[in-house]
C-alpha cells in the first residue's frame, strides 16, 4: 500500500506521554512530570527510568507498575 502515516499517528507513537500506576498502592508516575525528587526529570520515558527506581510511596519495583490510560 505504501500509505503515508498522517501526522497525528506519529504524535501518538512518539510524543504521547504515558502514565504508569503502582499496582500495590496506586501511586502514579507521569512521564510528563517525571519525579524530580529522585532526579527523574520531566519528560523521562518509563523505559528510561532506572530499573533500580522504586515507588516513592510503598517501595515497589518498576515491575509492579502498569501503564494506565487516563
Ligand atoms: Zn507503590
Amino acid at each position: 500500500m505504501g500509505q503515508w502515516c498522517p501526522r497525528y499517528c506519529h504524535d501518538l507513537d512518539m510524543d504521547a506521554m504515558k502514565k504508569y500506576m503502582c499496582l500495590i498502592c496506586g501511586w502514579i508516575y507521569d512521564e510528563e512530570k517525571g519525579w524530580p525528587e529522585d532526579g527523574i526529570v520531566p519528560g523521562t520515558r518509563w523505559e528510561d527510568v532506572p530499573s533500580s527506581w522504586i515507588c516513592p510511596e510503598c517501595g515497589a519495583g518498576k515491575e509492579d507498575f502498569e501503564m494506565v490510560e487516563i
Side-chain angles (χ1 to χ4, degrees), residues 46-58:
W46 180 244
E47 54 264 34
D48 294 328
V49 172
S51 54
S52 58
W53 184 84
I54 54 169
C55 175
E57 197 68 27
C58 73

Side-chain angles (χ1 to χ4, degrees), residues 22-34:
C22 175
L23 298 176
I24 313 290
C25 72
W27 189 86
I28 288 178
Y29 174 77
D30 187 339
E31 290 183 332
E32 210 173 324
K33 295 178 184 149

